Amino acid sequence: MNSGECCSGGGGSGGGVGAAERSRRGSPREDGFAPSALGTREHWDAVYERELQTFREYGDTGEIWFGEESMNRLIRWMQKRKIPLDASVLDIGTGNGVFLVELAKFGFSNITGIDYSPSAIQLSGSIIEKEGLSNIKLKVEDVLNLSTKLSGFHVCIDKGTFDAISLNPDNAIEKRKQYVKSLSGALNAKGFFLITSCNWTKEELLDEFSEGFELFEELPTPTFSFGGRSGNSVTALVFQKT
Ligand SMILES: C[S@@+](CC[C@H](N)C(=O)[O-])C[C@H]1O[C@@H](n2cnc3c(N)ncnc32)[C@H](O)[C@@H]1O
């Protein structure tokens, strides 16, 4: 992709949770997404089992979805908006947990990562341990069936997870609605939700999160131009719970 920042292959999974999936080919549903294995837990379990093995053998932490810049962009925003370092932060679908590591290194002290893949949580635990960080909470948890204990967060972060859920072959529309409900339950009043997506445009995300959330800020992402058209391959938005 021209921007140098895009959804990537997910540890050799052979395709991004990305624009490529938003295909008019195959049998797209009414939301325009072709259902994909990328929306299933089996897929992510296989990805992180493989990445866990690679980490054990070579110390390679694996894929950083949307690249380093996507993490810096979020941390810069938190810094600019003076989010206190002890604010509670939830990373939804943390994957290898590398973003949690970055947050902790920056000084955030109350951070939690969840993922429905036990291998992802095992991998992030191993990476966090290797980094010598001890105050990060990790939990195997399906965001669509979130424990009520996971509530009262000041900031929730999603980098590629809503994208993955949108590709679920089994009633993704309902799952997206459930995601918005779960998010609402996890955030405290006026809490912030930072989403990075390569499947959804700004306008579509505004629509998806119109109930209970309002746009606080759009974060700049690289633009590309091709054939006289220009656009962004990644959308990064900050919502605030109303
Ligand atoms: C595209 S990866 C992004 C990983 C990580 N956020 C990053 O930026 O590197 C999507 C992640 O969402 C997780 N995920 C997908 N659906 C989920 C769900 N319902 N509950 C919790 N985690 C989920 C997957 O296991 C995977 O780790």
Side-chain angles (χ1 to χ4, degrees):
M1 299 222 181
N2 299 340
S3 65
E5 182 183 9
C6 60
C7 311
S8 55
S13 58
V17 184
E21 296 300 324
R22 183 153 221 192
S23 168
R24 302 284 159 193
R25 287 173 283 128
S27 315
R29 296 179 305 241
E30 65 184 80
D31 57 9
F33 292 109
S36 161
L38 289 156
T40 67
R41 186 172 146 186
E42 291 73 25
H43 168 80
W44 294 108
D45 276 339
V47 166
Y48 289 111
E49 262 162 43
R50 214 166 38 229
E51 294 207 352
L52 184 59
Q53 197 61 33
T54 308
F55 178 73
R56 284 180 180 148
E57 282 175 30
Y58 308 105
D60 180 359
T61 53
E63 198 78 34
I64 296 173
W65 287 84
F66 307 100
E68 294 269 347
E69 172 53 19
S70 70
M71 301 193 290
N72 297 339
R73 177 190 301 130
L74 300 177
I75 291 178
R76 271 198 310 271
W77 181 84
M78 290 165 86
Q79 195 179 13
K80 184 176 91 178
R81 288 290 160 197
K82 298 192 169 44
I83 302 293
L85 289 175
D86 63 356
S88 51
V89 181
L90 178 68
D91 187 21
I92 300 170
T94 195
N96 59 14
V98 169
F99 186 57
L100 298 171
V101 169
E102 293 303 308
L103 286 171
K105 285 185 176 168
F106 190 81
F108 284 98
S109 59
N110 189 0
I111 49 188
T112 304
I114 58 165
D115 203 291
Y116 69 177
S117 163
S119 327
I121 292 300
Q122 241 182 307
L123 174 62
S124 41
S126 306
I127 292 172
I128 286 165
E129 192 185 337
K130 190 176 173 199
E131 291 285 343
L133 300 163
S134 53
N135 58 350
I136 298 175
K137 286 161 266 190
L138 288 172
K139 210 161 184 303
V140 176
E141 189 88 20
D142 184 343
V143 65
L144 303 179
N145 189 16
L146 205 58
S147 148
T148 49
K149 285 186 196 149
L150 288 167
S151 59
F153 287 93
H154 291 96
V155 178
C156 285
I157 292 176
D158 179 318
K159 210 154 62 64
T161 303
F162 188 69
D163 283 351
I165 288 170
S166 307
L167 296 172
N168 193 293
D170 179 24
N171 203 355
I173 295 178
E174 205 41 55
K175 288 193 163 68
R176 278 164 20 216
K177 284 191 189 145
Q178 182 53 48
Y179 182 100
V180 179
K181 273 193 204 151
S182 292
L183 177 67
S184 214
L187 271 175
N188 70 7
K190 300 285 172 201
F192 293 108
F193 172 54
L194 282 64
I195 180 164
T196 305
S197 165
C198 57
N199 269 343
W200 298 92
T201 63
K202 174 186 172 185
E203 288 66 32
E204 288 167 336
L205 286 174
L206 288 178
D207 192 41
E208 289 291 316
F209 293 93
S210 59
E211 260 174 52
F213 295 89
E214 63 188 14
L215 182 66
F216 187 80
E217 198 168 336
E218 179 176 9
L219 305 183
T221 58
T223 52
F224 68 89
S225 55
F226 185 75
R229 287 171 156 232
S230 64
N232 300 61
S233 55
V234 172
T235 309
L237 300 181
V238 180
F239 286 94
Q240 187 166 31
K241 187 171 154 179
T242 53

